[in-house]
Amino acid sequence: MHVLVTGGAGYIGSHTCVELLSRSDRVTILDNLSNSSLEAIRRVEELGGGRVNFHKVDILDRTGLEDVFEQNIDTPFDAVIHFAGKKAVGESVEKPLLYYHNNITGTINLVEVMEQYGVRNLIFSSSATVYGEPASLPISEECSTSACTNPYGWTKLMIEQILTDMQFARPEWNVLLLRYFNPVGAHKSGRIGEDPNGIPNNLMPYITQVAIGRLKQLSVFGDDYDTPDGSGVRDFIHVVDLALGHVAALKKFTDNPGCYVCNLGTGKGYSVLDMVKTFSEACGREISYKIAPRRAGDIASCYADPGKAARELGWQAQYNLRDMCEDSWRWQQQNPEGYGKQD
Ligand code: NAD
Ligand code: UDP
């Protein structure tokens, strides 16, 4: 299979490309490297044991996109996994137009060029954020989506709608909307992992940077939620499990075309304080933390009903919280500055 991976140099994309290469798929990455580096692609090749065909292109650049499809016309793409997008919630509040333009216009460009070249199998990276404050737990795909609390979340919900409408109009298309819960962890080798710009917004990279001494102390946002220990509860999923979810999803494209929605989560909820404790045990160091006020826009609990993925994709998560902590820690220890300035 020849797979085009947009955003393939990023955190989830790089882990997915390793799994694709390992099963001898042909992999083409398209990325503008705005939040990633060439070094990640070198390491993907090393871990996957194969070469990647890389194009430094922006999905907003229509001509650049067409060139990528044109250059691969003799071995056309069988499917596209579309990870490329901006994902920082706080930045999306400050710069909404940047987010709407990059994520939505970029996706429309991509889909138009796919149609132009007759490539009609698409996997899109959506997020559990589209469920907003869930009416019930665990969250199944039947739960209604609801008002998002930030422009980033809205881009996911809007793109889901756009792709659903597009597939309805063109029933020969196969569209898979994968709603990720909270990806954490890193490849077992410690060679690839999450490399956020600046001070991390997300829990796991914040904890790893406290553990390594780059940051002083974690703020636990809220201890008065209606959860077992008062801190927020999330469905943390190992990034390699998530990557394998995409590999499983590609098999869906041999079935009847349609537009499918599927959660990718473990089905287990762990609290922020559970995570701090498990990480401390995994790295053998105390993680200094203080209780801070709730973060605006956060919900108390969010975890998946992963049943549909098991039934329809034949996939379920294998790694536990301890694995996620150990692997994140190995990546952080071996790469205290992330990929650094190695390009
Ligand atoms: P990431 O930032 O590590 O990877 C995204 C990649 O897309 C980066 O390599 C970046 O350089 C590239 N990119 C961004 N805009 C681009 C553009 N205009 N043209 C070409 N390349 C562009 O993020 P990630 O964590 O790997 O997330 C991948 C996808 O999954 C994103 O769409 C994200 O919104 C979604 N997602 C992530 C999470 C999460 O917590 N990490 C959760 C749910 C959904
Ligand atoms: N969180 C925290 N301190 C941090 C970052 C996050 O307490 O520095 C909490 C956050 O309030 C939420 C959970 O950790 O309850 C997961 O947050 P993250 O930003 O990683 O993912 P989200 O669920 O918001 O997408």
Side-chain angles (χ1 to χ4, degrees):
M1 209 175 196
H2 187 184
V3 186
L4 173 65
V5 185
T6 76
Y11 174 45
I12 306 171
S14 57
H15 289 81
T16 303
C17 289
V18 168
E19 299 306 328
L20 291 172
L21 280 180
S22 312
R23 58 163 225 172
S24 306
D25 280 319
R26 193 183 164 96
V27 177
T28 294
I29 292 180
L30 183 162
D31 200 303
N32 65 0
L33 301 183
S34 58
N35 197 33
S36 50
S37 71
L38 271 183
E39 180 59 19
I41 298 178
R42 286 187 206 110
R43 296 188 188 185
V44 164
E45 292 181 327
E46 162 199 315
L47 296 172
R51 293 307 304 268
V52 160
N53 182 11
F54 174 60
H55 299 269
K56 184 169 187 245
V57 170
D58 196 303
I59 52 172
L60 293 171
D61 170 8
R62 177 68 184 246
T63 314
L65 270 180
E66 286 172 353
D67 280 350
V68 172
F69 281 74
E70 199 63 47
Q71 284 176 40
N72 288 279
I73 204 119
D74 294 332
T75 47
F77 305 122
D78 298 294
V80 177
I81 307 182
H82 178 34
F83 292 110
K86 291 192 162 291
K87 64 164 184 178
V89 170
E91 189 187 41
S92 81
V93 175
E94 312 259 305
K95 301 175 183 167
L97 296 186
L98 177 70
Y99 272 66
Y100 287 119
H101 187 48
N102 190 71
N103 294 3
I104 298 180
T105 313
T107 301
I108 293 174
N109 267 344
L110 174 70
V111 168
E112 283 179 348
V113 175
M114 286 175 67
E115 175 66 20
Q116 201 176 316
Y117 284 85
V119 179
R120 300 194 177 95
N121 291 328
L122 175 67
I123 294 178
F124 173 64
S125 300
S126 190
S127 165
T129 191
V130 300
Y131 294 115
E133 180 96 51
S136 62
L137 290 165
I139 306 173
S140 80
E141 293 79 357
E142 278 71 48
C143 284
S144 59
T145 53
S146 81
C148 296
T149 51
N150 57 73
Y152 164 71
W154 279 113
T155 69
K156 294 295 173 195
L157 199 53
M158 288 179 185
I159 293 170
E160 282 201 4
Q161 188 64 49
I162 290 167
L163 295 177
T164 304
D165 293 343
M166 188 275 303
Q167 196 283 329
F168 182 78
R170 300 213 169 266
E172 64 278 25
W173 270 73
N174 233 316
V175 175
L176 256 169
L177 308 172
L178 297 182
R179 294 176 177 159
Y180 313 154
F181 281 69
N182 286 58
V184 297
H187 192 270
K188 281 260 169 264
S189 63
R191 297 288 290 157
I192 57 173
E194 187 171 14
D195 185 16
N197 271 332
I199 296 179
N201 294 306
N202 297 113
L203 180 64
M204 182 64 104
Y206 206 105
I207 291 180
T208 63
Q209 292 195 16
V210 171
I212 203 82
R214 270 172 77 175
L215 294 170
K216 270 213 168 80
Q217 191 174 49
L218 172 74
S219 292
V220 172
F221 298 139
D223 67 347
D224 55 354
Y225 285 108
D226 183 15
T227 59
D229 64 22
S231 65
V233 165
R234 295 292 182 274
D235 185 336
F236 298 101
I237 174 170
H238 197 294
V239 66
V240 171
D241 272 331
L242 199 58
L244 291 169
H246 291 76
V247 173
L250 283 172
K251 297 191 192 112
K252 185 95 183 153
F253 292 142
T254 55
D255 297 334
N256 294 331
C259 185
Y260 301 92
V261 180
C262 202
N263 287 339
L264 292 182
T266 65
K268 296 188 186 76
Y270 287 102
S271 73
V272 174
L273 292 172
D274 287 334
M275 178 66 103
V276 171
K277 181 170 178 288
T278 309
F279 195 91
S280 274
E281 288 163 5
C283 74
R285 299 178 185 192
E286 279 301 306
I287 303 298
S288 167
Y289 72 88
K290 63 168 191 224
I291 304 297
R294 292 182 179 193
R295 185 172 67 177
D298 274 353
I299 56 174
S301 297
C302 172
Y303 51 92
D305 173 348
K308 187 174 181 186
R311 286 189 304 276
E312 298 195 10
L313 305 180
W315 169 90
Q316 59 186 49
Q318 303 296 330
Y319 293 103
N320 61 29
L321 195 66
R322 175 74 186 225
D323 299 319
M324 300 177 210
C325 292
E326 283 176 358
D327 295 343
S328 289
W329 177 231
R330 189 176 305 105
W331 153 253
Q332 182 70 78
Q333 261 193 314
Q334 291 182 20
N335 307 271
E337 303 296 327
Y339 291 110
K341 296 183 175 48
Q342 301 177 51
D343 289 340

